[in-house]
Amino acid sequence: MFYKQKSTLVFLFLIGLFQASAQNFNANDPIAVNQKIKKGVLPNGMTYYIYPTTVNKNTASYYIIQNVGSILENDQQKGLAHFLEHMAFNGTKHFEGKGILNTLQKQGAVFGKNINAYTSTDETVYNLDNIPSQDGGVVDTCLLVLHDWSNFLSLTNEEIDAERGVITEEWRTRQNASQRIYDQLSPYYYNNCLYAYRKPIGDMEIVKNFKYQVLKDFYKDWYRPDLQAIAIVGDINANEIEEKIKKLFADIPTPVNPKKRFEIAIPENDKATFKLALDKEISSSGILYMIRHAAEKPTTTFADLEKSTQRSIAFSLINNRLAEMAQKEDCPFKGAQIGYQNYSRLNDILFVSVAPKPNLQQAAFTAVMNEWVRASKFGFSKGEIERAVAEDISSYENYLEKINEISHKSVIGMVKDDYLNQEIISDPIAEFEMEKVILKNLDTAILQKQLTELYTANNRVVGVTGVENENNLNEEQALDIINKAENNPTLKPYVDTFVAQTLLGNTVWKPGKIVSEQKNKQIDATTFVLSNGVKVHYKFADKNKKEVELKAESFGGTSLYDGQDIPSAARSTSLAMMSGIGAFSNTDLEKVLKGKTVNSSVSILALTETVSGFANVKDIETMMQLVYLRFMKPRFDADMFALMKQRLQNSLKNKEKDISAKMQDSLSVAVYGKNNPRVRALDQQYIDELSFDKMKSIYENRFSDVSNFEFYVVGDVTLEVLKPLLEKYIASINGIKRTENFKSNSPAWVSNKIDKDIFIKMETPKSSVKISYQKDYAYSQKNRIIAAFLGDILTLRYTESLREKEGGTYGAQVKCSLDKLPVSKATLKIAFDCDANKVEHLLPIVYQEIDKIKKGEIVIEDIEKTRTNYIKSRKDSKDFNSYSMDLISNYFKNNYNMDDPKNYVDIVNAISKKDIQDFANSFLDKADSFEVVFKPLL
């Protein structure tokens, strides 16, 4: 479908909601197909999709969807579907070696971001995202890449051998506790069918040792046009693209006597199965109860849409109740969700997912099962259904208003559903007319029927992720809980106590005035000064239609507080958000806002405190009311404070088993020392120092002076609409008109040179390398851009040396930046995982690449690739309102005009090899540095 409501989260009661819809539909009436998308099938069996859109001007995305995945592997090929995906970037008929990457990187594309692929059990998808589309030669090149991916991979022996190490390191990076738990549970989830034994990453013994011909045979058998679809989405001429496709892809041969593309159905089971999975590095438990079903036919008719909508709303209402329960301290689960979804090609599942609090697995599962049965047995209140219906309508209306802003990836998602699952790409306007009829007839009996029909007796599985030394749920308990819930005579209907109210209720306030208005011609913005001293900078922007964004920022933040107050300062806004606002708890606030596209949040960071808001233009007044209340009527709930502390305490429990948390804490101690007052890790002392009174006091202090905030408003809203709202709400906020700034008290490293190995016991041995440099450095636009160049060029170098040449890591993450505040400082960070036995070999290579740059041994092509990417990214960013927000905030806060070429484009175009060399030397000479290497404790 073109648009399908996934959840129901917001309230609006609409009088005469369905009066305009007099149309009736029969069950078998087809859903209209969207005519904007061009679809066809070539004589050789290849399917193509073309969708023109200018959501990203002058760019297009190119995909090839292979109806091929790891499920098609035989026992000697486990991992080769994924291996083949990697090989697509290692040489084709028209692009030798790394030719695809090198060619497209010259157009500003970035590997991993714009150029990527994934392999799953049932499909393999390759993508070239947001590639310039106005040059016909570039378009032809992208189509040629898809053509080569279809049938012309080189698969040279040398490149195959080089990639074995890369994939082994990908496996090592992903082989964590969660993956090991899944490996234990999947035979139960899939009832021991082939899906349980065909993980895309495969078997590393096979990956390391398979014979070349085995991979080539898999390619020949399965990469063929009758199992392939190509999709081109973007700023293109659809007719021209279609002609190019027909001509270019005609030489791909039609398969002769091809292997049958088989599909696997998960076997039935009459008796419920159970599995408790344990791992030494798991720190929190989980429960997944599923009931498997045969996959239903694709959504193509009114009856299909009706069933889909009814289910979506029924499950969203249950999940609303579960979310409300989770906001109580005595609730035994941290979170829970119930839903129905596709699980494999031939099977769907009803699932109940629970995240219990420590040692409360039995109580948590009981509570969630009781809610499921309560909803199935007694249904939903009129108020719940009205809120859900109105939200569904509102979501469709918002979607249709922004129909021309659908992202490339969203369109591709619909294409994949159409090609792989035969779910049509619908006409959203026609679908909406059907939806309104469906909603008009909705009642609790209909919703209950959908729930009870899915809750069948066969094909049940309970999988438990347990924690060592906890009271884990066992099979007897699980089945007993299910049985008792199904037959619980004490259950009573859910009571919906919410009474609809306006957001401000009886609040009385005195509007202020706009005392001055000044137009800025350089960036086409307007600055208002309000009677309470607030400055508001406004810029009209309609790249994203019907949207408006607000940001208010003041200096101060946690920098103003001593170490023992930092926990309370850092989490005070979280407490306020959990507590709600004004007269409303957080759960009631969600109900008040149902049917509106609006949100608002507050935060206190290291140097600043901020208030932000976002809304559809029709809800801009509600956004302004929320901002007013964030300043004037924050809410602090003692029960929410107790819940916050409980959640933190739960996070702390078993934290020592979490390898990632252990590494992060160990790194912090190595760099900042064990008791640095400004670096506070989550421990018992941190929790003990949290104070309800301090959190309330700090929040009230940080947001007590609205005149110290600069406001920025950007969006598709006119001055005529905005100005009265500024006077009514923002100008009416009280302020004490103080002058305040942040303190420069960033935590110091324990030494200017740190070199440390940290040994940690781990189930899957690996080394993790963390390297960093920092130094005070003069801030300028040019220096900031050169720093970014250095980081991105190093990324290219490490991809070639550490990944491709050495096969030593799946990828190195590199970032070099120059920050202005609190003091101007340059920072370079490098991180990667690798085989512990190779780490001492790889570390010198990291420094050799840095030394080459310092010596001026810089690959000119790397500079040009980076330059092109920056120019392209800046140009692309202008297609969105967020660019205008960055424009006005940088202009008024950082004193530069992003639109002026001299501040970015001219600098980027002028960056030379010498600039990068000089920066690397001046920055890295005598810079503070650390090298921390985590190694397995054997």
Side-chain angles (χ1 to χ4, degrees):
M1 290 169 24
F2 200 76
Y3 176 72
K4 180 165 28 177
Q5 179 63 15
K6 298 295 185 184
S7 61
T8 308
L9 302 171
V10 191
F11 171 91
L12 176 66
F13 184 75
L14 299 177
I15 303 297
L17 186 64
F18 306 104
Q19 290 177 354
S21 179
Q23 191 171 2
N24 291 314
F25 297 95
N26 296 316
N28 293 324
D29 284 350
I31 300 172
V33 175
N34 191 293
Q35 298 302 308
K36 185 174 180 180
I37 195 153
K38 187 184 287 284
K39 178 183 177 182
V41 180
L42 300 178
N44 58 15
M46 178 176 285
T47 306
Y48 62 86
Y49 299 82
I50 306 166
Y51 186 88
T53 173
T54 56
V55 62
N56 300 83
K57 289 184 175 60
N58 302 319
T59 69
S61 297
Y62 305 78
Y63 280 68
I64 182 165
I65 303 161
Q66 313 266 5
N67 187 12
V68 177
S70 57
I71 199 68
L72 301 177
E73 298 165 347
N74 62 37
D75 287 341
Q76 286 72 49
Q77 295 173 328
K78 288 189 284 188
L80 297 199
H82 173 250
F83 201 107
L84 199 56
E85 172 217 310
H86 278 239
M87 292 307 299
F89 299 96
N90 288 287
T92 68
K93 178 179 179 180
H94 295 97
F95 302 91
E96 292 185 8
K98 300 297 184 290
I100 290 174
L101 295 181
N102 288 330
T103 299
L104 293 173
Q105 284 171 338
K106 292 174 183 176
Q107 299 299 324
V110 175
F111 183 42
K113 177 185 175 184
N114 307 107
I115 310 167
N116 214 332
Y118 74 83
T119 304
S120 70
T121 50
D122 274 307
E123 78 234 29
T124 306
V125 178
Y126 300 84
N127 63 281
L128 308 173
D129 278 321
N130 292 323
I131 310 298
S133 63
Q134 297 310 295
D135 183 334
V138 176
V139 172
D140 290 344
T141 296
C142 291
L143 292 174
L144 188 59
V145 171
L146 298 188
H147 165 272
D148 278 15
W149 277 341
S150 169
N151 197 59
F152 301 100
L153 299 190
S154 301
L155 300 180
T156 65
N157 297 349
E158 296 77 14
E159 290 289 356
I160 290 172
D161 287 336
E163 203 65 21
R164 296 181 197 267
V166 174
I167 293 175
T168 302
E169 293 311 312
E170 181 179 357
W171 170 86
R172 195 186 314 280
T173 295
R174 300 185 190 281
Q175 189 66 8
N176 54 21
S178 296
Q179 182 60 57
R180 292 191 297 270
I181 288 288
Y182 178 77
D183 291 345
Q184 295 179 55
L185 292 173
S186 60
Y188 294 82
Y189 292 158
Y190 291 109
N191 200 14
N192 287 302
C193 77
L194 203 57
Y195 276 108
Y197 308 103
R198 289 294 183 268
K199 291 186 305 178
I201 196 67
D203 181 325
M204 288 308 103
E205 285 305 308
I206 290 175
V207 167
K208 293 175 184 176
N209 299 300
F210 69 83
K211 296 185 181 301
Y212 307 124
Q213 192 59 42
V214 178
L215 181 67
K216 295 173 184 179
D217 288 344
F218 185 88
Y219 182 54
K220 181 181 178 182
D221 286 341
W222 299 115
Y223 271 48
R224 56 188 207 232
D226 61 312
L227 296 179
Q228 295 170 332
I230 58 174
I232 295 86
V233 178
D235 193 357
I236 42 88
N237 182 303
N239 292 329
E240 290 180 3
I241 291 292
E242 184 175 36
E243 289 305 311
K244 288 175 183 286
I245 289 170
K246 289 178 177 179
K247 182 178 180 180
L248 179 62
F249 290 83
D251 69 340
I252 298 172
T254 304
V256 178
N257 297 321
K259 282 191 173 184
K260 183 180 179 182
R261 201 299 187 194
F262 59 86
E263 293 179 333
I264 300 292
I266 303 173
E268 304 257 332
N269 59 285
D270 295 332
K271 183 181 177 182
T273 58
F274 175 91
K275 174 63 178 177
L276 169 64
L278 296 170
D279 189 277
K280 294 181 183 299
E281 293 174 6
I282 283 290
S283 59
S284 59
S285 62
I287 302 167
L288 180 62
Y289 172 34
M290 68 165 66
I291 300 176
R292 292 189 300 265
H293 292 264
E296 298 180 344
K297 65 178 182 178
T299 303
T300 60
T301 67
F302 175 79
D304 297 332
L305 179 63
E306 184 175 45
K307 182 166 58 179
S308 174
T309 297
Q310 291 166 357
R311 284 180 181 170
S312 176
I313 288 179
F315 285 115
S316 70
L317 293 181
I318 294 174
N319 289 323
N320 286 345
R321 293 179 181 180
L322 293 173
E324 189 168 337
M325 290 172 64
Q327 295 190 50
K328 298 185 184 300
E329 186 184 4
D330 62 357
C331 178
F333 55 82
K334 295 180 284 187
Q337 186 177 23
I338 301 177
Y340 186 79
Q341 67 179 37
N342 178 253
Y343 194 57
S344 66
R345 282 286 172 87
L346 299 180
N347 289 96
D348 297 338
I349 57 167
L350 169 70
F351 69 89
V352 178
S353 177
V354 188
K357 291 176 180 177
N359 280 312
L360 292 177
Q361 293 176 33
Q362 294 80 3
F365 192 38
T366 299
V368 177
M369 285 305 303
N370 281 338
E371 279 314 301
W372 164 259
V373 175
R374 189 194 316 278
S376 302
K377 185 175 181 179
F378 299 110
F380 304 98
S381 70
K382 182 180 178 182
E384 287 179 293
I385 296 172
E386 286 177 345
R387 294 193 291 268
V389 166
E391 168 57 12
D392 198 61
I393 292 289
S394 177
S395 296
Y396 264 96
E397 289 174 341
N398 290 338
Y399 188 85
L400 291 173
E401 278 185 343
K402 300 170 186 175
I403 195 71
N404 294 320
E405 297 176 26
I406 303 167
S407 70
H408 290 188
K409 287 187 177 180
S410 294
V411 175
I412 291 296
M414 292 179 261
V415 167
K416 287 193 293 184
D417 282 340
D418 182 275
Y419 179 63
L420 298 173
N421 303 316
Q422 294 76 55
E423 184 173 309
I424 66 166
I425 303 173
S426 67
D427 179 328
I429 297 174
E431 182 184 314
F432 186 29
E433 291 306 309
M434 285 185 167
E435 187 80 0
K436 286 187 282 189
V437 173
I438 293 166
L439 297 174
K440 180 180 180 180
N441 298 317
L442 203 64
D443 62 25
T444 186
I446 289 172
L447 298 179
Q448 286 172 257
K449 182 174 181 287
Q450 288 298 336
L451 299 182
T452 55
E453 285 183 350
L454 292 173
Y455 196 70
T456 55
N458 296 336
N459 302 314
R460 296 182 173 191
V461 186
V462 180
V464 178
T465 299
V467 177
E468 290 190 344
N469 302 317
E470 275 201 10
N471 182 21
N472 295 307
L473 181 69
N474 62 39
E475 181 173 7
E476 182 181 355
Q477 292 169 337
L479 299 181
D480 185 56
I481 288 169
I482 293 169
N483 180 62
K484 285 181 176 177
E486 292 171 352
N487 300 282
N488 189 344
T490 66
L491 288 178
K492 295 180 180 180
Y494 174 85
V495 179
D496 182 13
T497 60
F498 176 73
V499 178
Q501 303 173 60
T502 61
L503 186 59
L504 291 178
N506 296 322
T507 301
V508 177
W509 71 98
K510 183 180 179 181
K513 293 288 184 183
I514 294 174
V515 298
S516 73
E517 178 178 334
Q518 184 175 355
K519 184 77 173 177
N520 184 293
K521 294 182 179 179
Q522 279 191 299
I523 60 169
D524 192 23
T526 303
T527 297
F528 304 102
V529 177
L530 309 184
S531 52
N532 57 355
V534 168
K535 278 187 179 179
V536 181
H537 308 292
Y538 155 79
K539 181 172 176 61
F540 177 82
D542 63 352
K543 300 292 186 180
N544 299 111
K545 300 289 184 183
K546 306 295 185 181
E547 291 183 3
V548 62
E549 181 182 358
L550 176 147
K551 179 173 69 174
E553 190 175 62
S554 171
F555 282 127
T558 60
S559 72
L560 303 182
Y561 297 92
D562 295 330
Q564 70 272 15
D565 290 338
I566 286 178
S568 294
R571 295 191 180 268
S572 62
T573 51
S574 296
L575 175 60
M577 294 289 290
M578 288 173 64
S579 298
I581 200 169
F584 301 102
S585 68
N586 195 39
T587 54
D588 282 347
L589 178 63
E590 290 179 2
K591 294 171 184 176
V592 170
L593 297 178
K594 285 198 179 291
K596 298 180 184 293
T597 304
V598 62
N599 62 54
S600 169
S601 63
V602 285
S603 62
I604 298 177
L605 304 176
L607 306 179
T608 59
E609 43 272 349
T610 63
V611 178
S612 61
F614 173 86
N616 266 8
V617 171
K618 65 182 176 65
D619 298 317
I620 186 174
E621 183 162 10
T622 303
M623 182 188 76
M624 291 294 188
Q625 292 172 350
L626 286 170
V627 171
Y628 171 87
L629 291 170
R630 295 292 179 203
F631 281 98
M632 295 298 292
K633 290 197 172 183
R635 184 182 174 99
F636 302 93
D637 189 321
D639 289 340
M640 291 298 104
F641 174 70
L643 178 62
M644 173 186 282
K645 290 192 71 173
Q646 184 193 63
R647 287 175 175 175
L648 293 172
Q649 203 75 55
N650 291 341
S651 297
L652 189 59
K653 186 174 176 61
N654 299 315
K655 183 183 175 184
E656 73 281 356
K657 296 179 181 179
D658 187 328
I659 293 296
S660 296
K662 189 180 294 187
M663 285 184 178
Q664 185 57 47
D665 286 351
S666 299
L667 179 64
S668 180
V669 170
V671 176
Y672 297 107
K674 191 169 185 179
N675 297 303
N676 192 308
R678 304 212 65 80
V679 180
R680 302 300 307 272
L682 179 62
D683 55 18
Q684 193 58 54
Q685 183 179 352
Y686 181 103
I687 297 173
D688 292 342
E689 288 179 358
L690 289 172
S691 161
F692 178 83
D693 291 336
K694 276 185 184 177
M695 295 169 89
K696 181 179 178 182
S697 173
I698 288 170
Y699 182 104
E700 290 174 342
N701 178 265
R702 289 295 82 223
F703 296 95
S704 64
D705 186 14
V706 70
S707 67
N708 205 36
F709 282 75
E710 295 239 353
F711 280 70
Y712 305 89
V713 179
V714 166
D716 190 5
V717 57
T718 62
L719 282 171
E720 290 72 24
V721 172
L722 179 64
K723 289 167 68 174
L725 295 174
L726 293 178
E727 292 185 323
K728 186 175 182 180
Y729 297 110
I730 307 304
S732 66
I733 301 171
N734 297 334
I736 57 178
K737 298 187 177 179
R738 66 187 176 193
T739 301
E740 194 173 47
N741 210 330
F742 59 82
K743 291 182 179 179
S744 296
N745 53 11
S746 299
W749 291 3
V750 295
S751 171
N752 60 10
K753 187 174 179 62
I754 301 165
D755 188 347
K756 189 169 185 178
D757 290 347
I758 299 175
F759 292 88
I760 294 179
K761 190 172 183 180
M762 54 185 79
E763 293 298 299
T764 301
K766 69 175 181 179
S767 280
S768 291
V769 176
K770 313 289 183 183
I771 295 171
S772 187
Y773 296 85
Q774 69 171 22
K775 184 179 181 180
D776 290 354
Y777 203 92
Y779 186 89
S780 68
Q781 276 298 101
K782 182 175 181 179
N783 286 344
R784 185 182 69 83
I785 293 167
I786 296 174
F789 262 82
L790 175 60
D792 288 341
I793 287 172
L794 279 172
T795 298
L796 293 170
R797 290 296 88 217
Y798 292 143
T799 298
E800 183 172 311
S801 58
L802 295 176
R803 175 180 161 124
E804 300 299 337
K805 184 178 179 181
E806 298 292 334
T809 182
Y810 182 50
Q813 295 78 51
V814 187
K815 182 178 181 181
C816 188
S817 60
L818 180 61
D819 296 316
K820 189 176 183 180
L821 301 176
V823 294
S824 182
K825 189 184 293 288
T827 305
L828 171 63
K829 295 181 179 180
I830 303 163
F832 62 93
D833 291 345
C834 65
D835 185 339
N837 295 320
K838 291 184 177 180
V839 66
E840 299 303 331
H841 171 69
L842 297 176
L843 278 170
I845 297 172
V846 174
Y847 297 108
Q848 288 166 13
E849 296 293 355
I850 294 173
D851 288 339
K852 288 178 183 177
I853 291 175
K854 292 170 71 175
K855 295 175 183 175
E857 298 173 15
I858 304 172
V859 179
I860 297 299
E861 196 172 72
D862 288 351
I863 298 177
E864 295 309 317
K865 289 176 181 177
T866 304
R867 190 193 322 278
T868 305
N869 170 247
Y870 288 4
I871 297 297
K872 177 186 178 298
S873 296
R874 172 56 64 91
K875 185 178 179 181
D876 291 349
S877 70
K878 293 183 178 183
D879 288 338
F880 302 93
N881 287 359
S882 55
Y883 175 84
S884 295
M885 177 60 82
D886 291 340
L887 175 67
I888 63 169
S889 60
N890 275 313
Y891 186 87
F892 293 106
K893 184 170 70 174
N894 295 323
N895 301 313
Y896 79 93
N897 180 359
M898 289 172 57
D899 271 349
D900 190 333
K902 73 179 182 182
N903 290 320
Y904 189 80
V905 174
D906 291 351
I907 296 173
V908 171
N909 283 328
I911 296 294
S912 66
K913 181 169 73 171
K914 188 174 187 304
D915 288 328
I916 299 166
Q917 179 188 4
D918 289 347
F919 175 82
N921 280 300
S922 59
F923 161 36
L924 296 172
D925 279 357
K926 299 181 180 178
D928 295 344
S929 66
F930 71 70
E931 176 192 293
V932 177
V933 180
F934 293 96
K935 296 180 177 180
L937 181 63
L938 303 178

